[in-house]
Amino acid sequence: MKSVLLAPVLFLASIIEAHPGPHAQPDPVHLARRGALAKRCSDSVGLMKRNRHAMRRRDLSPSDGTTTYTITADAPNYDFLKNDTCILTPETSTGPYVYPRSQILRQDLVEDQLGVPFVMDIGLMDIHTCEPLENALVDVWHCNATGSYSSFTGLDPDISFPDQYLESTGEEIDAENGMGDVSFLATDNTTWLRGMWPTDKNGVTSFTSIFPGFYTNRAIHVHVQVHTNWSITSNGTIGAGSTVNTAQLFFDEDVAAEVMTVPPYASHTQIARKPVAEDGVYFEESLTGAMAIMDTEPLDGQDYKNGVLGYITLGVDTTAIHDGTTEDPNPPIPTSGDSA
Ligand SMILES: *[C@@H]1O[C@H](CO)[C@@H](O)[C@H](O)[C@H]1NC(C)=O
Ligand SMILES: *[C@@H]1O[C@H](CO)[C@@H](O)[C@H](O)[C@H]1NC(C)=O
Ligand SMILES: *[C@@H]1O[C@H](CO)[C@@H](O)[C@H](O)[C@H]1NC(C)=O
Ligand SMILES: *[C@@H]1O[C@H](CO)[C@@H](O)[C@H](O)[C@H]1NC(C)=O
Ligand SMILES: *[C@@H]1O[C@H](CO)[C@@H](O)[C@H](O)[C@H]1NC(C)=O
């Protein structure tokens, strides 16, 4: 009960600290249903995860057999799924959702950005059927090694979002109604570290990027959104009948700390980095029982400073997705305004 009461306050706190994106709190009834659905699939998720680790191992092993790389995947038996899977919830959508034009259909997000190589392996599990979710569009974006987002490069990563907003608009963020759509704060059309790609027949997709850096008030994170029933319109934007809510994915503090010692991350000394345990969005996601920390391994089997491989399984409750006019599973929280 306590966490439910806390939620609205934290929700507001984090929405004004975070970059644009929806952050709705699921209600307890919905959570309980989702939890029950998810638990049924725990063995399937475990198996999916084990297969993905094994596949990566084959891909990464040099053919000369010199590596002593070991896979640390857990056994495929989970008595409790929720802390190993980040369950997403559908968001209300009343028709075609026009995506930011900087989200491009591609797997390599790097462009000219410098940093520690980062491969993301994202698996989707349909928690209704316990089958991998095929051909769903996974949309990711994150900041660069020193905390800037493409398309928003004119904003200072060391200045808090409310202050940025005030500086740009001359107005305070409306605490009653939230910030609404803030895409007008975009400063350019750069596209680095953004992309989207559909899941394959194993329900898996992957991206090549650089490990994200950090900006003020937030732990290191990656934004991810999942769209089902998607299509590409003639002007290159994505038309989607159904959108599964946005999540943010995090990293173990030890991994984050190690990567931050490497240039150019290490040059970001103007502000302190917030550890994941102190991040408001991470806290909210944890309230839902979701395990939003990526499983990681060094890309070369040895040293995170040479590259990071991150795995996550996202559970999607497809029964709660209809045709873009989904009934809102997350009733709006008064005074917080989740229209962003
Ligand atoms: C997940 O939950 C199980 C059972 O409650 C627990 O033993 C395990 O330590 C948890 N794992 C993590 C990563 O929190
Ligand atoms: C991150 O992006 C900002 C804005 O474009 C840029 O000024 C900065 O140099 C970039 N960081 C790195 C490490 O390239
Ligand atoms: C992005 O490009 C479009 C089309 O060229 C242009 O209309 C728009 O003003 C640009 N946006 C920004 C923020 O520069
Ligand atoms: C692209 O087309 C969609 C619908 O087909 C429209 O809603 C959207 O505004 C268009 N985007 C641009 C950038 O022209
Ligand atoms: C998928 O989208 C199409 C058109 O965009 C729509 O007609 C159809 O009903 C949608 N199907 C589902 C299952 O949402």
Side-chain angles (χ1 to χ4, degrees):
M1 257 352 257
K2 195 169 173 210
S3 60
V4 172
L5 291 173
L6 273 173
V9 177
L10 288 160
F11 169 72
L12 181 58
S14 63
I15 201 167
I16 59 179
E17 282 181 10
H19 268 260
H23 303 276
Q25 281 295 314
D27 68 277
V29 174
H30 183 71
L31 271 185
R33 178 178 166 278
R34 227 170 53 171
L37 273 175
K39 199 168 173 180
R40 287 171 38 250
C41 302
S42 54
D43 284 352
S44 316
V45 168
L47 185 63
M48 182 191 197
K49 180 173 165 179
R50 195 181 56 171
N51 288 343
R52 281 156 64 198
H53 279 255
M55 214 131 63
R56 286 276 167 201
R57 185 185 190 182
R58 276 199 302 276
D59 289 352
L60 295 172
S61 299
S63 47
D64 64 5
T66 53
T67 184
T68 53
Y69 188 57
T70 44
I71 294 290
T72 53
D74 299 336
N77 243 319
Y78 296 89
D79 49 351
F80 199 66
L81 176 80
K82 285 194 287 183
N83 70 358
D84 198 54
T85 304
C86 184
I87 312 276
L88 303 183
T89 55
E91 76 182 1
T92 305
S93 158
T94 51
Y97 189 170
V98 181
Y99 293 91
R101 67 166 57 86
S102 300
Q103 297 298 133
I104 297 174
L105 201 61
R106 61 176 175 185
Q107 286 178 284
D108 185 342
L109 318 179
V110 179
E111 296 186 17
D112 61 353
Q113 293 298 308
L114 298 175
V116 166
F118 173 46
V119 174
M120 269 178 283
D121 178 304
I122 299 177
L124 302 184
M125 173 66 64
D126 178 340
I127 61 167
H128 184 62
T129 61
C130 300
E131 295 288 338
L133 187 63
E134 188 180 347
N135 197 33
L137 191 67
V138 178
D139 189 344
V140 298
W141 66 101
H142 63 79
C143 69
N144 75 1
T146 46
S148 292
Y149 281 89
S150 61
S151 299
F152 295 87
T153 62
L155 304 188
D156 184 340
D158 298 347
I159 297 181
S160 78
F161 195 77
D163 290 345
Q164 290 279 359
Y165 189 91
L166 179 61
E167 203 171 286
S168 308
T169 64
E171 285 170 25
E172 307 267 353
I173 290 178
D174 181 349
E176 289 294 312
N177 299 308
M179 37 181 199
D181 179 0
V182 293
S183 58
F184 65 87
L185 291 177
T187 56
D188 55 274
N189 280 323
T190 51
T191 56
W192 38 261
L193 311 185
R194 295 173 180 274
M196 33 195 193
W197 200 253
T199 52
D200 64 15
K201 65 179 192 319
N202 300 310
V204 175
T205 193
S206 66
F207 297 95
T208 304
S209 192
I210 59 156
F211 198 82
F214 61 92
Y215 52 98
T216 188
N217 288 330
R218 296 301 319 283
I220 297 174
H221 63 276
V222 173
H223 294 262
V224 56
Q225 227 177 16
V226 175
H227 315 289
T228 56
N229 197 26
W230 60 283
S231 59
I232 307 236
T233 62
S234 53
N235 62 19
T237 62
I238 301 294
S242 311
T243 299
V244 179
N245 211 348
T246 307
Q248 296 183 27
L249 311 177
F250 297 87
F251 301 90
D252 259 346
E253 177 57 20
D254 290 354
V255 175
E258 197 172 339
V259 174
M260 290 308 110
T261 64
V262 177
Y265 304 91
S267 71
H268 198 183
T269 54
Q270 296 82 352
I271 52 167
R273 178 175 61 83
K274 187 170 260 196
V276 63
E278 292 169 24
D279 186 276
V281 175
Y282 174 69
F283 185 82
E284 281 167 15
E285 288 187 343
S286 303
L287 293 180
T288 71
M291 180 60 185
I293 293 192
M294 283 198 155
D295 245 8
T296 49
E297 291 171 13
L299 203 47
D300 66 356
Q302 317 264 337
D303 188 347
Y304 280 118
K305 295 195 283 295
N306 295 334
V308 178
L309 171 57
Y311 297 92
I312 193 130
T313 305
L314 304 177
V316 178
D317 181 359
T318 50
T319 56
I321 301 171
H322 302 299
D323 57 357
T325 54
T326 329
E327 208 178 291
D328 190 353
N330 307 309
I333 298 161
T335 80
S336 61
D338 56 356
S339 56

